[in-house]
Amino acid sequence: MNIIIGSKNPTKIQAVTDIFPSAEVRSMDAKSGVCAQPFSDEETKQGAVNRAMRCMETKPNTFGVGLEGGVMYVDNQLYLCNWGALVTPDGKVFTASGARVVLPKEIEIGLKEGKELGDLMDGYAKRQEVRKREGAIGIFTNELVSRKEMFSHVVKLLRGQLEYGLKQ
């Protein structure tokens, strides 16, 4: 199985290689086609689908995977959200979403000012490259759930749907 993931982020790449250990996994920078900081479930999901489609279209007999992090409101509170998409070589699309956690008000204010979550998290956590390591989910869960684990869960959901679909 050949998989291309639409990101150069090491946590996303590792999530895919962990869940598809026998696959040949490559990565590429794939445009999401949505805002740099998605602000809804719909926009975040669309970014994942767009990345997966772009990957699948680059090479014959390739599965594309897109993983996208974003934020979304529930009852006037801003939550972290994440989506994944897997596109088969024949164009069938599988999608899944994962963990959600409330974000602090100061993060919400920065996001409304047009900043990206990853950039805000570096200052908030007083660390560098949070988006390539534990991620916001790692910070706000006291590292009980890492960004890689969060995306691994989504990739498991995608793989399970694919395998179920292949049995039908």
Side-chain angles (χ1 to χ4, degrees):
M1 174 183 253
N2 295 314
I3 296 175
I4 299 176
I5 177 172
S7 176
K8 291 291 188 177
N9 186 299
T11 60
K12 293 179 181 183
I13 296 166
Q14 192 62 54
V16 175
T17 57
D18 285 355
I19 304 308
F20 288 95
S22 62
E24 180 184 321
V25 178
R26 287 171 293 152
S27 65
M28 65 178 267
D29 272 326
K31 299 283 186 212
S32 69
V34 299
C35 293
Q37 179 56 68
F39 244 90
S40 69
D41 253 347
E42 296 79 12
E43 187 177 18
T44 308
K45 177 184 173 189
Q46 190 60 56
V49 170
N50 291 347
R51 289 180 194 274
M53 289 295 285
R54 286 182 172 91
C55 291
M56 181 275 295
E57 292 168 348
T58 62
K59 195 170 181 189
N61 299 314
T62 298
F63 291 78
V65 173
L67 299 171
E68 189 79 16
V71 297
M72 44 89 68
Y73 281 97
V74 175
D75 298 329
N76 296 317
Q77 286 190 298
L78 192 63
Y79 282 76
L80 178 71
C81 69
N82 57 88
W83 279 87
L86 184 148
V87 180
T88 65
D90 63 354
K92 185 164 184 171
V93 179
F94 297 95
T95 59
S97 183
R100 297 174 194 276
V101 65
V102 175
L103 296 171
K105 201 65 164 170
E106 58 248 60
I107 297 292
E108 179 181 3
I109 291 166
L111 291 170
K112 284 183 171 180
E113 291 171 351
K115 297 174 182 156
E116 286 187 48
L117 181 60
D119 297 329
L120 290 169
M121 289 308 302
D122 286 353
Y124 183 88
K126 297 175 180 52
R127 299 180 188 181
Q128 293 183 351
E129 300 290 342
V130 169
R131 76 179 85 211
K132 292 182 179 178
R133 295 189 179 124
E134 66 273 86
I137 192 80
I139 300 297
F140 296 125
T141 63
N142 199 35
E143 298 191 33
L144 289 174
V145 178
S146 70
R147 190 165 201 241
K148 183 186 83 71
E149 288 174 308
M150 177 185 72
F151 279 120
S152 291
H153 180 253
V154 171
V155 176
K156 282 182 187 178
L157 296 171
L158 296 170
R159 179 176 173 174
Q161 290 177 77
L162 172 68
E163 289 175 356
Y164 179 77
L166 292 175
K167 291 190 321 187
Q168 300 305 310

